[in-house]
Amino acid sequence: MNFETLQQIKKEQLSKIALRFNKPCNLYEKEICICFDTGCQSTNSAKLFEEFANQLKINNLTSKIALSKVGCFGFCSLGSIVVIYPQGYFYTKVKAEDAAEIVQQSIINDSLVERLLYTKEDLTKAKIQTEIDFYKKQKHIARKNSQFIDAENIKDYIALDGYMALYKALTTYQPKDIVDIIKTSGLRGRGGAGFSTGTKWEFAYNNESDEKFVICNADEGDPGAFMDRSILEGDPHSVLEAMAIEGYAIGAKKGFIYVRAEYPLATKRLEIAINQAKENNLLGDNIFGTDFCFDIELRLGAGAFVCGEETALINSVEGKRGEPRLRPPYPAEKGVYGKPTVVNNVETLAIVAQIILNGAEWFLRYGTKNSPGTKVFALTGKIKNTGLIETEMGTTLRELIYDLGGGIPDGKKLKAIQMGGPSGGCLTANDLDIKIDYESLKEHNAMMGSGGVIVMDEDTCMVDIAKFFIEFSCDESCGKCTPCRIGNKRILEILNKITGGKATMGDLDTLKELCIFVKENSLCGLGQSSPNPILSSLNNFYDEYIEHIVNKRCPAKVCKDLVTYVIKENCVGCSACFRVCPVDAISKAENNKYVIDQQKCIRCGKCFATCRFNAIARQ
Amino acid sequence: MENNCNNFNENSDAFLDEIIDKFNANQLTRIEVLQEIQNKLGYVPKDAVIKVADNSNVPLAEFYGILTFYSQFKMEKPARFKIEICMGTACYVKGAQQIYDYIRGYAEDKNKDNETLYTIDSSRCLGCCGIAPVMKINDKIYGNLTLDKVKNILQEMK
């Protein structure tokens, strides 16, 4: 591959996909693009694709209309998403049965299928993507390509300036220049801690060694975050290109991508991408005719959250148990096989090529002073619009939750916003005006983490959520150091006492003490941060803990042992509850109404879910 | 939705020799050896690991340590339907526990009269939080679950 060929491919492919950017196209009149991300595939977008192909054939349109697979649009709750170019008609929740109508209305004719358009807050319909509030305040850098390209076709990526940054890096810059550009851009690791990417590269650059390694950390274990999966599935080449640039900068010839086992589609797309890049000599020996050689190998995880920690990940890449190593020495000094290694997160890498193309100054224009650029957030939980949102750093939580996320559904009240997963903390409605960047979140005892934002409403019990996270950490603790292995277990026991109504106020002091101890004495990031969800909920929802301990009540009515079910006066005696009770705790009283024997009741809630007359109270 | 798992037979399975050769030639890491066995058989049988350990320089204990460390590895033959219910935070907040309890109960009932038809696992996060709650049956993902939807899906599985 040389520059001329790259330009040639770009030109040819751009003419094929011009409709996606509302530019004239000689080959096709219209184009149907279907999202092929895991989320949309679960709503059967593969069948939808076949049906569209079939409809085009029936109507004899195959030569005039293009039918393509593209990456994630980010609005996962609306899958499957179909867009008709050049108009950009944005169809949501499309099923295979709808294909015929769309072809008839929007392909053969120029009209819309109204019922498949997104309904806005004011009940009008949004014709195109940019009319939807969810997209209005977004700025795409890491997710720039995903919705426009087919991840399994390298030409699509090249058409959007793919591998131009690598060419520029290899032919116009010295390795040290690249390190400096990334350092000047202020790019910080998007995986959690927010360490300066350029500084990390500089350490590895300065360490002399016959061999160095680049690792892409795609072990996205933080529950509630899925931006890395979406980037890998939608735009895998952006990660490969960045790894090659990084390899050139620090002097590495080999890279590993460590993907978690739960992401089969991302793995498949990466395999395809690596093969295509090798075929085109964009990976391999003498890339672009220079002396630079770089190769990438995939390593599959096997299901261990702790492998997201860089030293544990390095052990796992080597094929060992994923137990963390002591730091220092840091990986930039001694990483894989004892050689200098840089570990970067997927989203961080997805930004690198664009910084090289557009310059550090360009990147600094976005975001805040200390946290430049954009961040992808996975907005999930009790929120109207769930999906991936990429906004500039410094966006307030209020904008994120209400303007972009559409607020809390069913008229419920916002209770907490959990950020940073099992290592992070929760924020409350009082914190809505916090500008999201690394420092501000830390000040409020939360953290950016990988960008998972889980919204909770009044039906969520914060003690139960704290318990949920500590159960997670207990399960995922590798067992190497005692504070984490045993400390978390003891924390869980105290929380079980609290949710079981058996705790005393003294337990609360022990809990706090233990949390601080585990935090201060654990070996790696997992143990050092596992008590965070508890400390932050103790801080923000202290009253809720007191309710559980003193009044033996769970205000959100979640904790089983603190909830009682009672049949009210309006029971009609239909016997539905009597029939579903698994322990025969319900019997008929003399007045033909039913009663629950509280001694026998196991509080499974089946009667409550079954009663159609709203005659059972949960207290 | 049939699972790809054959019975392990030491004599007839030439694939294991291939894996051992590759491992001894440093082309596979220890984790990859176990992954290849599991991909082929659907689980990692004890006899297979013993054979690998016997024919390489790595002690059995090392392999056993890896097998038990990573949750992906199964040492028991999986049932015909492998159901993984996602218990990530997004799914949990949206009622995954209820779905998990229901499926557990359902599978226990069915497993009684028809040997082991279902294996139930909870997953840490399937990465489909946008369509929570989510479960995976064999390789297919089902999203936006409700109890009714789960009942239908389970009934359609034969």
Side-chain angles (χ1 to χ4, degrees):
Chain A
M1 176 73 67
N2 55 35
F3 186 64
E4 285 69 36
T5 331
L6 194 68
Q7 286 285 18
Q8 186 64 28
I9 296 177
K10 181 182 165 182
K11 211 176 129 199
E12 272 171 26
Q13 194 64 16
L14 258 185
S15 67
K16 274 188 199 160
I17 61 171
L19 290 172
R20 296 179 201 171
F21 310 97
N22 204 4
K23 301 235 169 69
C25 175
N26 302 330
L27 292 156
Y28 303 107
E29 288 168 15
K30 283 179 186 177
E31 180 166 19
I32 305 168
C33 285
I34 304 174
C35 171
F36 256 65
D37 178 88
T38 300
C40 278
Q41 281 203 15
S42 83
T43 55
N44 228 340
S45 56
K47 198 174 152 204
L48 180 62
F49 186 87
E50 266 171 46
E51 191 50 36
F52 266 115
N54 188 23
Q55 285 298 327
L56 291 180
K57 215 163 139 197
I58 295 172
N59 291 295
N60 228 345
L61 292 165
T62 324
S63 58
K64 281 190 269 177
I65 309 295
L67 175 63
S68 313
K69 301 169 183 175
V70 292
C72 180
F73 286 85
F75 210 160
C76 305
S77 49
L78 297 183
S80 296
I81 292 176
V82 173
V83 181
I84 311 291
Y85 293 111
Q87 298 92 334
Y89 295 151
F90 193 77
Y91 289 128
T92 59
K93 297 190 179 171
V94 185
K95 301 250 172 324
E97 304 86 83
D98 303 322
E101 195 181 345
I102 293 179
V103 169
Q104 211 41 251
Q105 298 293 335
S106 303
I107 300 294
I108 299 175
N109 297 311
D110 263 329
S111 55
L112 286 155
V113 184
E114 291 267 344
R115 67 184 174 85
L116 295 174
L117 293 173
Y118 176 78
T119 311
K120 290 191 284 189
E121 200 82 322
D122 59 4
L123 300 179
T124 57
K125 300 278 185 182
K127 263 187 256 170
I128 56 170
Q129 197 178 353
T130 43
E131 286 175 13
I132 301 173
D133 286 341
F134 181 78
Y135 289 105
K136 275 188 183 157
K137 284 188 179 168
Q138 294 204 38
K139 165 73 198 162
H140 288 175
I141 294 181
R143 291 177 40 75
K144 177 179 83 87
N145 294 336
S146 174
Q147 68 173 74
F148 294 111
I149 63 172
D150 177 357
E152 296 181 15
N153 184 357
I154 191 172
K155 288 182 183 165
D156 270 17
Y157 179 67
I158 293 175
L160 302 187
D161 290 331
Y163 291 101
M164 291 292 173
L166 179 61
Y167 176 79
K168 188 177 174 189
L170 295 183
T171 52
T172 48
Y173 294 124
Q174 292 300 312
K176 183 75 176 71
D177 301 336
I178 310 264
V179 172
D180 289 340
I181 292 172
I182 298 298
K183 216 176 149 188
T184 319
S185 77
L187 176 63
R188 299 173 67 170
R190 301 302 198 230
F195 190 77
S196 155
T197 306
T199 311
K200 226 183 204 181
W201 290 19
E202 195 176 32
F203 288 147
Y205 172 83
N206 287 332
N207 281 322
E208 299 270 330
S209 173
D210 54 338
E211 225 181 349
K212 293 181 189 178
F213 295 101
V214 167
I215 295 183
C216 166
N217 182 350
D219 190 52
E220 187 177 43
D222 178 1
F226 56 103
M227 59 287 290
D228 292 352
R229 176 183 61 70
S230 154
I231 291 171
L232 293 173
E233 285 177 7
D235 193 12
H237 285 286
S238 67
V239 176
L240 304 187
E241 186 180 4
M243 286 176 75
I245 294 172
E246 184 183 350
Y248 175 67
I250 68 162
K253 289 198 180 83
K254 174 130 195 186
F256 294 101
I257 304 180
Y258 186 87
V259 197
R260 71 195 287 249
E262 286 86 343
Y263 289 173
L265 187 64
T267 312
K268 187 186 134 207
R269 298 242 165 104
L270 277 170
E271 275 167 4
I272 295 173
I274 292 174
N275 283 335
Q276 289 182 346
K278 279 184 184 166
E279 278 163 23
N280 287 287
N281 194 224
L282 293 162
L283 286 177
D285 293 339
N286 302 99
I287 300 171
F288 285 117
T290 64
D291 293 338
F292 178 61
C293 310
F294 192 74
D295 205 5
I296 294 177
E297 225 180 272
L298 276 187
R299 283 281 196 275
L300 301 189
F305 174 71
V306 70
C307 289
E309 199 278 338
E310 57 180 8
T311 59
L313 184 146
I314 285 169
N315 271 336
S316 193
V317 165
E318 292 178 8
K320 300 177 191 154
R321 282 165 69 102
E323 286 171 350
R325 302 173 178 174
L326 259 182
R327 295 188 306 182
Y330 286 90
E333 201 180 320
K334 272 193 173 148
V336 186
Y337 306 116
K339 307 286 181 187
T341 304
V342 178
V343 184
N344 282 130
N345 159 273
V346 174
E347 194 189 329
T348 319
L349 288 168
I351 298 170
V352 166
Q354 289 183 66
I355 295 180
I356 298 297
L357 272 185
N358 302 314
E361 298 303 317
W362 164 81
F363 191 68
L364 283 164
R365 262 186 260 153
Y366 303 103
T368 62
K369 193 165 162 273
N370 290 321
S371 310
T374 57
K375 176 80 193 83
V376 185
F377 296 100
L379 200 55
T380 58
K382 303 284 182 67
I383 182 108
K384 207 169 150 232
N385 304 334
T386 54
L388 292 176
I389 288 178
E390 183 172 4
T391 60
E392 285 188 47
M393 295 273 193
T395 306
T396 64
L397 268 176
R398 189 184 300 281
E399 285 173 292
L400 193 66
I401 307 285
Y402 288 96
D403 297 351
L404 292 147
I408 320 297
D410 308 325
K412 297 254 163 100
K413 258 196 262 158
L414 171 72
K415 184 169 187 177
I417 303 152
Q418 218 284 338
M419 290 192 75
S423 325
C426 57
L427 298 159
T428 66
N430 298 332
D431 304 318
L432 279 172
D433 291 309
I434 294 180
K435 288 193 168 166
I436 308 171
D437 63 28
Y438 293 97
E439 276 73 26
S440 328
L441 286 174
K442 227 177 226 166
E443 273 167 33
H444 290 82
N445 293 321
M447 70 182 249
M448 182 80 82
S450 49
V453 179
I454 297 151
V455 182
M456 297 168 188
D457 67 6
E458 50 198 286
D459 292 340
T460 315
C461 168
M462 294 316 289
V463 186
D464 182 63
I465 288 293
K467 196 173 93 178
F468 167 83
F469 280 121
I470 212 74
E471 262 172 12
F472 181 95
S473 299
C474 270
D475 239 32
E476 296 297 340
S477 170
C478 76
K480 184 172 180 173
C481 73
T482 320
C484 175
R485 183 181 70 238
I486 299 177
N488 279 326
K489 184 95 187 147
R490 296 287 99 88
I491 293 177
L492 176 61
E493 283 166 7
I494 297 178
L495 286 173
N496 272 332
K497 259 172 102 178
I498 297 177
T499 56
K502 295 186 183 112
T504 58
M505 284 304 283
D507 287 319
L508 216 48
D509 298 329
T510 322
L511 180 67
K512 232 188 247 171
E513 205 179 310
L514 207 52
C515 282
I516 292 164
F517 181 83
V518 171
K519 219 170 131 73
E520 284 174 350
N521 294 290
S522 292
L523 174 67
C524 82
L526 193 149
Q528 286 160 10
S529 59
S530 62
N532 286 355
I534 301 165
L535 288 170
S536 92
S537 65
L538 267 175
N539 221 354
N540 290 320
F541 297 96
Y542 189 71
D543 293 349
E544 215 167 308
Y545 281 86
I546 301 296
E547 271 291 293
H548 281 77
I549 296 169
V550 179
N551 298 332
K552 315 282 176 212
R553 240 189 98 239
C554 173
K557 297 171 190 136
V558 173
C559 300
K560 261 188 190 174
D561 294 336
L562 302 180
V563 170
T564 46
Y565 292 92
V566 181
I567 298 179
K568 294 188 288 191
E569 269 304 294
N570 60 334
C571 171
V572 296
C574 74
S575 83
C577 56
F578 168 77
R579 277 177 278 135
V580 294
C581 180
V583 290
D584 297 329
I586 301 180
S587 58
K588 200 170 194 172
E590 279 168 11
N591 55 1
N592 271 345
K593 297 182 195 299
Y594 284 81
V595 283
I596 300 175
D597 181 346
Q598 296 299 338
Q599 297 298 320
K600 281 188 189 168
C601 176
I602 55 163
R603 295 159 178 125
C604 68
K606 275 193 180 147
C607 53
F608 182 77
T610 308
C611 182
R612 287 181 292 129
F613 302 96
N614 203 9
I616 298 180
R618 189 165 61 168
Q619 295 168 340
Chain B
M1 285 207 265
E2 199 78 23
N3 233 326
N4 175 30
C5 56
N6 312 308
N7 279 323
F8 176 68
N9 177 333
E10 212 184 321
N11 300 321
S12 66
D13 285 302
F15 82 93
L16 202 55
D17 295 322
E18 243 176 76
I19 292 177
I20 292 168
D21 288 344
K22 274 205 223 159
F23 180 55
N24 284 330
N26 268 334
Q27 286 164 358
L28 294 177
T29 65
R30 293 165 200 187
I31 293 178
E32 284 171 324
V33 166
L34 301 173
Q35 280 170 334
E36 291 225 348
I37 297 174
Q38 180 148 308
N39 286 346
K40 183 86 182 173
L41 303 174
Y43 72 119
V44 187
K46 206 166 103 194
D47 295 343
V49 200
I50 293 175
K51 189 174 170 186
V52 178
D54 283 349
N55 291 290
S56 67
N57 288 328
V58 178
L60 183 60
E62 287 274 337
F63 281 111
Y64 189 71
I66 294 165
L67 269 175
T68 48
F69 184 87
Y70 294 100
S71 63
Q72 183 199 17
F73 294 119
K74 303 283 173 245
M75 294 181 72
E76 302 284 331
K77 193 174 160 187
R80 196 166 137 212
F81 298 115
K82 219 169 71 188
I83 308 182
E84 259 179 82
I85 300 127
C86 180
M87 290 292 253
T89 327
C91 289
Y92 186 78
V93 171
K94 286 197 157 182
Q97 184 71 48
Q98 227 188 339
I99 287 166
Y100 181 82
D101 291 344
Y102 176 79
I103 295 180
R104 254 241 103 97
Y106 179 90
E108 266 167 23
D109 275 0
K110 293 281 166 184
N111 282 347
K112 256 182 252 163
D113 39 68
N114 201 346
E115 62 184 291
T116 314
L117 198 55
Y118 304 93
T119 41
I120 314 293
D121 258 324
S122 64
S123 163
R124 274 308 169 204
C125 180
L126 292 170
C128 298
C129 320
I131 47 170
V134 177
M135 69 173 170
K136 184 161 125 183
I137 302 180
N138 295 343
D139 283 326
K140 194 166 172 356
I141 300 227
Y142 297 85
N144 292 323
L145 297 176
T146 57
L147 271 185
D148 285 336
K149 212 164 154 184
V150 170
K151 282 175 199 166
N152 285 337
I153 294 168
L154 290 175
Q155 251 145 39
E156 275 168 28
M157 275 186 339
K158 286 273 150 58

